[in-house]
């Protein structure tokens, strides 16, 4: 089974290494040390933990049928007469959504604001936090 360093786990979870360390220190995810003293997380433990945090209780969460959610920050908006392109950086993932200009204006999307890209099939849907 593959093991992951704290830094690798943090990248996969979309958090800082300090956050991953705090979670490990609090016992939320099990770690062990390798022969060089590095803290490692077993792959199956990291997989289970990633599912656990993805299902966390977020009272402010919106309800939707789209399950693949990528919370992030809007990094670019290109407006055309009818269509628009919105780029979101969600951890290490850049997601691009093509939608109507009207949708961008109705959502009040602006560069720098938090938004969630929701992927269903080949479509990316944008939710505002």
């Amino acid at each position: 089974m593959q093991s992951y360093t704290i830094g690798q786990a943090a990248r996969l979870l979309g958090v800082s290494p300090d956050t991953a360390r705090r979670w490990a220190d609090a016992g939320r995810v099990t770690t062990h040390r390798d022969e060089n003293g590095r803290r490692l997380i077993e792959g199956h433990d990291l997989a289970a933990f990633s599912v656990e945090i993805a299902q966390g209780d977020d009272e402010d969460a919106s309800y939707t049928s789209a399950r693949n959610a990528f919370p992030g920050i809007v990094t670019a908006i290109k407006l055309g007469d009818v269509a628009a392109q919105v780029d979101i950086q969600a951890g290490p993932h850049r997601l691009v959504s093509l939608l109507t200009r009207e949708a961008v204006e109705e959502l009040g999307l602006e560069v720098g604001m938090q938004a969630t890209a929701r992927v269903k099939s080949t479509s990316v849907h944008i939710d505002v936090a």
Side-chain angles (χ1 to χ4, degrees):
M1 175 62 65
Q2 183 170 352
S3 294
Y4 297 89
T5 65
I6 294 288
Q8 290 170 324
R11 280 190 296 282
L12 291 169
L13 297 171
V15 299
S16 73
D18 286 339
T19 297
R21 259 186 230 97
R22 280 192 298 274
W23 286 341
D25 291 344
R28 291 189 62 193
V29 63
T30 303
T31 63
H32 68 278
R33 297 214 181 252
D34 69 4
E35 62 278 356
N36 296 319
R38 295 183 307 165
R39 286 171 56 170
L40 299 176
I41 302 171
E42 291 295 329
H44 62 276
D45 291 333
L46 183 58
F49 182 65
S50 68
V51 170
E52 176 188 324
I53 63 172
Q55 295 173 346
D57 294 331
D58 186 353
E59 294 176 6
D60 296 327
S62 61
Y63 297 95
T64 180
S65 65
R67 297 291 179 235
N68 300 318
F70 296 87
I73 187 167
V74 176
T75 57
I77 298 174
K78 296 176 188 163
L79 294 174
D81 290 338
V82 176
Q85 175 181 316
V86 176
D87 293 18
I88 292 180
Q89 192 67 40
H93 308 289
R94 176 179 174 247
L95 296 112
V96 178
S97 179
L98 301 176
L99 58 164
T100 65
R101 179 186 183 115
E102 180 181 18
V104 170
E105 291 169 349
E106 284 179 4
L107 289 170
L109 292 176
E110 296 178 4
V111 171
M113 73 181 296
Q114 287 184 337
T116 300
R118 295 194 186 271
V119 179
K120 188 163 186 169
S121 185
T122 58
S123 300
V124 176
H125 305 268
I126 306 296
D127 295 339
V128 177

